[in-house]
Amino acid sequence: MLSAQLEAYLAEINLPATIEQKKQLIDFVGMLNKWNKAYNLTAVRDPEAMLVRHIMDSLVVSKHLQGERFIDVGTGPGLPGIPLAIMNPDKQFVLLDSLGKRIRFQKQVSFELGIHNISSVESRVEAYQPEQKFDGVLSRAFASIQDMLTWCHHLPAEHGQFYALKGQLNDEEMQHIPGGFAVKEVIELKVPKLDEQRHLLKIIKE
């Protein structure tokens, strides 16, 4: 059932996937559903809803990623980082979260599903000082754009970008983007089966 739905959704967003990638995505939903019962990782309880609200909501960003090294800030159980890592095996993803139970879940997913291009870090974003900076700093439902840029300003490499995944765009929020940053692009995203607004903001340091 989920496999057929995933197949249709991937076709709808024109994102090719191997048999192995599709299996990893479905197995990730299965693990999220199983662990959720004990650890309360997400408010979404139904695997079919998880497929739309977590997997597809993450994957619509995939074709917009530029570079090889990414950090997913406030990743929770690994969203959007784990679905994006599955679909982009040539890119590296650091998953950053301050809660140990979420990090344990991510590590188990990496181990069980054989995802080798993610690494999980338990830390507050302000305290995390990576040796190597990132081509892309991702955040999904993590904070306001203002807070994201203030807390994550030290993470992108020289030509790196911020990728803020937002729902409806808030004019007030857009007007409070801190100095030294510029919105390079606003992309309207369409998530299959989701009748809600989704936007990707690409932001650069000036």
Side-chain angles (χ1 to χ4, degrees):
M1 178 75 170
L2 282 183
S3 299
Q5 287 171 331
L6 176 64
E7 198 92 42
Y9 299 157
L10 288 171
E12 196 176 318
I13 65 167
N14 197 19
L15 190 64
T18 65
I19 291 169
E20 171 69 7
Q21 285 169 324
K22 288 182 240 184
K23 183 178 185 312
Q24 286 175 319
L25 291 169
I26 295 293
D27 288 348
F28 176 52
V29 172
M31 287 187 72
L32 194 52
N33 185 42
K34 182 177 156 190
W35 277 60
N36 206 31
K37 293 181 171 84
Y39 293 96
N40 203 23
L41 297 168
T42 164
V44 181
R45 297 287 174 207
D46 172 58
E48 286 184 40
M50 285 178 183
L51 190 60
V52 172
R53 290 194 164 272
H54 289 332
I55 305 302
M56 299 314 300
D57 200 32
S58 298
L59 291 184
V60 286
V61 181
S62 185
K63 64 175 78 166
H64 302 291
L65 298 181
Q66 293 167 286
E68 294 173 3
R69 195 172 145 72
F70 294 84
I71 182 167
D72 178 9
V73 176
T75 182
L79 298 162
I82 288 175
L84 289 174
I86 289 171
M87 296 304 288
N88 296 275
D90 55 329
K91 303 184 192 304
Q92 295 295 318
F93 291 84
V94 170
L95 310 178
L96 189 78
D97 203 274
S98 58
L99 265 188
K101 67 178 182 180
R102 295 173 182 159
I103 297 295
R104 285 194 294 280
F105 172 71
Q106 294 164 23
K107 288 183 171 174
Q108 194 61 28
V109 168
S110 170
F111 172 71
E112 281 191 32
L113 305 189
I115 305 169
H116 305 300
N117 57 331
I118 58 174
S119 53
S120 299
V121 176
E122 185 179 342
S123 172
R124 292 180 63 80
V125 64
E126 312 92 296
Y128 179 59
Q129 297 293 336
E131 284 177 29
Q132 191 185 349
K133 307 280 187 172
F134 298 92
D135 298 318
V137 179
L138 291 153
S139 89
R140 175 181 180 263
F142 164 61
S144 70
I145 298 169
Q146 186 177 3
D147 285 345
M148 177 199 179
L149 296 173
T150 304
W151 295 337
C152 304
H153 67 91
H154 59 297
L155 296 175
E158 191 182 347
H159 299 293
Q161 311 185 71
F162 296 91
Y163 295 80
L165 284 69
K166 306 296 287 183
Q168 204 164 348
L169 288 185
N170 177 327
D171 286 344
E172 192 182 340
E173 190 178 5
M174 296 293 283
Q175 285 162 10
H176 284 88
I177 288 172
F181 297 95
V183 178
K184 181 181 158 190
E185 199 177 353
V186 177
I187 299 163
E188 198 168 331
L189 302 170
K190 184 75 190 83
V191 181
K193 286 277 181 279
L194 197 61
D195 191 20
E196 295 170 22
Q197 287 191 21
R198 286 290 186 271
H199 295 88
L200 170 65
L201 273 65
K202 287 187 177 183
I203 302 169
I204 52 170
K205 281 184 169 181
E206 289 187 299

